[in-house]
Amino acid sequence: MGLFSYTVAGGGFILIGAWESLISSSAALKNSSPSSTSQSLTEKQAQDSVFSSLITYVSILILSILFILNSLLSLFDALNSKDQIGSVLQLQVIAISLLFLLYSVLGLMTHLKKSYLLPSKILNMLCLFAFAEEFLLFYLQKKDPSGVENRYYDLLLVPITICAFCSILELKNPKLKYAKLGRGIGLILQGMWILQMGFSFFSDLIAQGCSLHEKSRGNYTVKCKGHPEYHRGRAIATLQFNCHLALLVTVIAFVYSIVCKKNGIGREHMRYRPIGVEMQHLEMDSQGHFTLDSDEDDDENGIKEERNEEMQKATVAVPESGTNGYHNHP
């Protein structure tokens, strides 16, 4: 595999992930808006869902075929170079690509032929197996224990884990839109990191003091001159991954704001009410009949008023007395 192969693979992952994220986020926002019906989708929404699924399956089909063709070329090159490790690695890549190919073919048959209805859980199970096998491929790929490329492979496990975890969530609840959104984000990050690996391995962007050594087309390692160069190469790989992750978060936040605005998700559809509005209502009520007196205060005031009335009556009933206790005569 060269820079061109990594560019095609990374670009394919990014396009598929971006498409799936955009469609799933739009569907989730429409379902959460007050104007949408949560019971059933309209006919237009159902057609859009089928159309978007077809595009996703066709894209996965094309990308899987490209992976298989590239792995076959690398396999023949490894056989000519008598590289047994390279041959085994390409057979593993072909097995993973065949799983994704089967997933896309069965998905297309399910959506195109109504008589051929395959449960969605079977498709999700195939997708989960493919990501699990991909995880094992890069987790166990230690051709050279001291090679810098191992650090890139370890960091690639992060987006693969995200995709596998979201596939598990979708397997439990196929109607969960945010599972597809998370898997799409994982595919985008995986594609970005594959592009970075291609530029790091097959261009001058690799760490200074390190170089690429190829045994065959698909079997290579990145060796450095000394121990400090190995540390610098691994540190640069970690820094590159953090930059990719920060860029992805920024782009997702920007695109999400655009999708919210396009679907009419604004302040009027928020689930909470601002504090300022509540304070305005309190001020308006305080100008009217609003009072802070409780019912107990009202009862005490009523008792005091009754006592005052009784005292007034007693004062009127008792005749006025004169000095030294004698009554005044008229």
Side-chain angles (χ1 to χ4, degrees):
M1 295 179 70
L3 179 58
F4 179 75
S5 300
Y6 273 91
T7 303
V8 174
F13 275 104
I14 291 174
L15 291 177
I16 294 174
W19 175 256
E20 189 168 3
S21 300
L22 183 63
I23 295 302
S24 58
S25 61
S26 299
L29 289 175
K30 288 180 180 178
N31 292 335
S32 61
S33 60
S35 58
S36 63
T37 57
S38 58
Q39 298 295 331
S40 61
L41 297 175
T42 62
E43 184 177 356
K44 183 179 179 181
Q45 291 176 340
Q47 292 177 357
D48 293 341
S49 178
V50 173
F51 178 73
S52 61
S53 299
L54 290 177
I55 293 180
T56 302
Y57 289 129
V58 170
S59 302
I60 296 175
L61 176 65
I62 296 174
L63 188 61
S64 301
I65 293 175
L66 292 177
F67 264 97
I68 292 174
L69 294 177
N70 182 75
S71 298
L72 289 175
L73 293 176
S74 300
L75 178 62
F76 293 144
D77 183 73
L79 292 176
N80 294 330
S81 303
K82 296 181 179 181
D83 183 13
Q84 297 180 355
I85 296 178
S87 302
V88 173
L89 289 176
Q90 298 309 314
L91 290 176
Q92 293 177 350
V93 174
I94 292 175
I96 297 172
S97 302
L98 287 175
L99 282 177
F100 281 109
L101 180 64
L102 181 61
Y103 169 77
S104 59
V105 170
L106 292 178
L108 287 173
M109 293 177 64
T110 303
H111 285 79
L112 292 177
K113 294 183 179 181
K114 295 183 179 179
S115 59
Y116 185 80
L117 295 177
L118 190 67
S120 59
K121 289 188 176 181
I122 295 180
L123 294 175
N124 296 332
M125 187 68 70
L126 282 174
C127 186
L128 178 60
F129 284 160
F131 284 121
E133 190 171 351
E134 185 183 6
F135 182 91
L136 291 176
L137 172 65
F138 289 101
Y139 180 76
L140 300 175
Q141 190 174 156
K142 305 292 183 183
K143 303 183 295 294
D144 185 7
S146 61
V148 179
E149 76 278 0
N150 294 326
R151 183 58 179 170
Y152 286 87
Y153 296 151
D154 292 339
L155 293 172
L156 185 61
L157 298 178
V158 176
I160 297 176
T161 304
I162 295 174
C163 296
F165 179 73
C166 293
S167 299
I168 294 175
L169 294 179
E170 189 179 9
L171 183 63
K172 292 183 177 180
N173 186 8
K175 296 182 180 180
L176 187 62
K177 301 296 182 181
Y178 292 103
K180 293 184 178 179
L181 176 61
R183 186 171 59 191
I185 294 174
L187 290 174
I188 295 174
L189 183 58
Q190 186 175 349
M192 293 172 62
W193 192 238
I194 290 175
L195 284 176
Q196 181 62 58
M197 288 195 301
F199 282 106
S200 298
F201 296 162
F202 300 97
S203 67
D204 297 333
L205 297 178
I206 198 170
Q208 187 178 3
C210 301
S211 58
L212 182 70
H213 297 268
E214 293 185 79
K215 296 182 180 180
S216 63
R217 189 174 182 271
N219 185 12
Y220 48 83
T221 182
V222 180
K223 295 184 178 181
C224 300
K225 294 181 179 180
H227 194 68
E229 285 77 9
Y230 277 113
H231 274 287
R232 183 169 62 249
R234 295 188 181 96
I236 290 176
T238 305
L239 180 62
Q240 289 173 345
F241 185 81
N242 293 334
C243 291
H244 279 279
L245 188 60
L247 177 61
L248 180 62
V249 172
T250 304
V251 172
I252 289 174
F254 177 73
V255 174
Y256 184 77
S257 62
I258 295 177
V259 173
C260 289
K261 184 176 181 181
K262 182 179 179 181
N263 290 276
I265 308 298
R267 294 180 62 88
E268 64 275 6
H269 299 299
M270 301 171 96
R271 295 183 178 179
Y272 67 91
R273 300 185 65 184
I275 299 177
V277 177
E278 299 293 338
M279 295 300 296
Q280 291 178 1
H281 286 296
L282 290 176
E283 292 177 357
M284 294 177 61
D285 292 338
S286 63
Q287 295 176 0
H289 300 284
F290 181 76
T291 179
L292 295 177
D293 295 336
S294 61
D295 295 338
E296 295 179 357
D297 294 338
D298 293 339
D299 295 338
E300 292 179 357
N301 292 333
I303 294 172
K304 290 181 180 179
E305 290 179 358
E306 292 180 357
R307 290 180 178 178
N308 291 333
E309 292 179 358
E310 292 178 356
M311 292 292 293
Q312 292 177 0
K313 291 179 180 179
T315 304
V316 174
V318 176
E320 296 181 356
S321 59
T323 307
N324 298 326
Y326 294 98
H327 294 285
N328 294 329
H329 297 278

